[in-house]
Amino acid sequence: VEVNLEEQFEAKVAKDIRIEPKDWMPDAYRKTLIRQISQHAHSEIVGMLPEGNWITRAPSLKRKAILLAKVQDEAGHGLYLYSAAETLGASRDQMIADLHSGKAKYSSIFNYPTLSWADIGAIGWLVDGAAIMNQVPLCRTSYGPYARAMVRVCKEESFHQRQGFEIMMKLCNGAPEQKKMAQEAFNRWWWPTLMMFGPKDDESPNTEQSMRWRIKRFTNDELRQRFVDMMVPQAEFLGLTVPDKDLKWNEKKNGYDFGEINWNEFWNVVKGNGPCNKQRIQTRVKAYEEGAWVREAALAHAEKRAQRERQ
Ligand code: FAQ
């Protein structure tokens, strides 16, 4: 029977028929989805922190309102994704406990500091740009709830990216000091953004199987290449210099050659030793502890209502 189920599963995936929560699936498929979706959820939640750092210091009321809305969207994405992971049998309490203990991974990018207002522009433009490049194909991922979550998430990410690009445009067309701020932020965020796509294909243990299961639709290197090809003309439009002396148009491949990523830095950040890893986790733990009374009150309220309905 098991063989039959496995064949049916493979056949569905091959025909791009979505796998749904109650369908039979191999344990390893379930496990890798829980891994990827929970890491993705954690990234959205921790991803609120670098930008949250600027909400009280945004340069105008309008900028503050926009940034607040963006950060709220990220909270929504995180909750949406935790729900998608729950459909696979993962427990939310356990996922959150794993984030707080340092056991769970989340995107390396959110362990870098936001030093100036231009960093908020650079995050929207570059980090959300990379997120879109990675997540638009995930709208076609083989697991139904994850694919459907990505549709809404990508729409909101597009708004996020435009607001980032618009901040960069304003700075780049402003005073020389503003232009300098934009270039410095670009220099800080360019390489860490390229790292978001993950290790090189030949050093990525999960890619091959995830491609076969159609969880991933493109490899890490394919998406990174597309991202570079998309961003270089945008940087030129802004009048910014890509901080890579090896960047060069390659006519033959119809794309850019670019310099080697600092993989030591990447793995160091993934292992918990980046500039802000400890601070990020501490902030999450503190927020969780300080929110305990809200959870208790919500539970007590729900219990009272249930009691009233029973009467
Ligand atoms: N950081 O074998 P692979 C956002 C880990 S966007 C940390 O290639 P896989 C929106 C990887 O987990 C960011 N760890 O793995 C936003 C694996 O470890 P494991 C979130 C990384 O899964 C914008 C190991 O290295 N987006 O949040 C990273 O096939 C602005 C080997 O790697 C997603 O999560 C990294 N950069 O490919 C929010 C998208 N890269 O689990 C706020 C969905 C790799 O074996 C503000 N995820 N690792 O222990 C994916 O597409 C994939 O999981 C990849 C990695 C492409 C990230």
Side-chain angles (χ1 to χ4, degrees), residues 185-255:
F186 187 32
N187 295 347
R188 278 196 289 278
W189 291 91
W190 175 251
W191 290 101
T193 304
L194 296 189
M195 296 175 196
M196 285 175 72
F197 295 94
K200 284 194 281 206
D201 292 350
D202 53 14
E203 280 159 31
S204 159
N206 300 300
T207 293
E208 203 185 317
Q209 183 59 263
S210 287
M211 292 287 287
R212 226 178 293 133
W213 278 330
R214 301 199 180 177
I215 293 172
K216 285 167 89 163
R217 309 299 311 232
F218 296 99
T219 70
N220 300 356
D221 285 333
E222 283 167 353
L223 292 172
R224 186 165 22 239
Q225 180 68 52
R226 286 182 177 206
F227 178 75
V228 171
D229 294 343
M230 178 177 83
M231 297 318 271
V232 172
Q234 294 186 15
E236 280 168 0
F237 180 82
L238 290 169
L240 295 174
T241 309
V242 182
D244 178 357
K245 60 178 173 26
D246 297 319
L247 185 82
K248 205 166 153 251
W249 178 253
N250 181 333
E251 194 67 51
K252 254 206 339 248
K253 79 171 184 191
N254 196 31

Side-chain angles (χ1 to χ4, degrees), residues 35-36 39-40 43-44 47 51 70 74 105-108 110 123 127-128 131 134-135 138 146 157 195-199 204-207 210 216 220 266-267 270:
R35 177 184 65 77
Q36 178 168 328
Q39 287 176 4
H40 193 167
S43 302
E44 298 280 358
E51 290 168 292
K70 178 186 193 292
E74 282 149 14
K105 289 194 173 77
Y106 59 87
S107 184
S108 49
F110 303 116
I123 289 179
V127 176
D128 285 279
N134 166 275
Q135 287 166 37
L138 291 176
Y146 192 27
E157 300 286 21
M195 296 175 196
M196 285 175 72
F197 295 94
S204 159
N206 300 300
T207 293
S210 287
K216 285 167 89 163
N220 300 356
F266 171 73
W267 288 115
V270 172

Side-chain angles (χ1 to χ4, degrees), residues 37-251:
I37 298 172
S38 63
Q39 287 176 4
H40 193 167
H42 297 326
S43 302
E44 298 280 358
I45 297 299
V46 178
M48 290 192 278
L49 300 175
E51 290 168 292
N53 184 33
W54 277 90
I55 290 173
T56 57
R57 293 179 289 163
S60 71
L61 182 59
K62 189 176 136 203
R63 293 287 185 203
K64 191 197 290 261
I66 295 171
L67 185 58
L68 194 58
K70 178 186 193 292
V71 172
Q72 281 180 337
D73 285 351
E74 282 149 14
H77 299 171
L79 300 182
Y80 220 47
L81 285 160
Y82 283 130
S83 297
E86 282 177 318
T87 66
L88 292 154
S91 124
R92 189 178 298 220
D93 287 343
Q94 189 59 53
M95 289 188 275
I96 290 171
D98 288 347
L99 175 66
H100 293 174
S101 72
K103 189 176 158 215
K105 289 194 173 77
Y106 59 87
S107 184
S108 49
I109 192 73
F110 303 116
N111 294 304
Y112 292 86
T114 40
L115 302 179
S116 82
W117 172 252
D119 289 3
I120 302 307
I123 289 179
W125 175 41
L126 299 171
V127 176
D128 285 279
I132 292 169
M133 190 56 83
N134 166 275
Q135 287 166 37
V136 166
L138 291 176
C139 296
R140 295 189 297 116
T141 195
S142 57
Y143 186 59
Y146 192 27
R148 289 187 289 273
M150 283 301 106
V151 175
R152 170 173 170 177
V153 167
C154 284
K155 284 184 184 160
E156 294 182 349
E157 300 286 21
S158 304
F159 155 66
H160 297 171
Q161 204 213 1
R162 277 162 173 266
Q163 71 84 41
F165 188 76
E166 205 259 340
I167 292 175
M168 294 306 274
M169 279 236 288
K170 268 280 183 316
L171 293 174
C172 289
N173 295 318
E177 290 85 351
Q178 289 175 302
K179 178 81 185 278
K180 184 163 169 270
M181 254 170 73
Q183 180 67 52
E184 285 168 358
F186 187 32
N187 295 347
R188 278 196 289 278
W189 291 91
W190 175 251
W191 290 101
T193 304
L194 296 189
M195 296 175 196
M196 285 175 72
F197 295 94
K200 284 194 281 206
D201 292 350
D202 53 14
E203 280 159 31
S204 159
N206 300 300
T207 293
E208 203 185 317
Q209 183 59 263
S210 287
M211 292 287 287
R212 226 178 293 133
W213 278 330
R214 301 199 180 177
I215 293 172
K216 285 167 89 163
R217 309 299 311 232
F218 296 99
T219 70
N220 300 356
D221 285 333
E222 283 167 353
L223 292 172
R224 186 165 22 239
Q225 180 68 52
R226 286 182 177 206
F227 178 75
V228 171
D229 294 343
M230 178 177 83
M231 297 318 271
V232 172
Q234 294 186 15
E236 280 168 0
F237 180 82
L238 290 169
L240 295 174
T241 309
V242 182
D244 178 357
K245 60 178 173 26
D246 297 319
L247 185 82
K248 205 166 153 251
W249 178 253
N250 181 333
E251 194 67 51

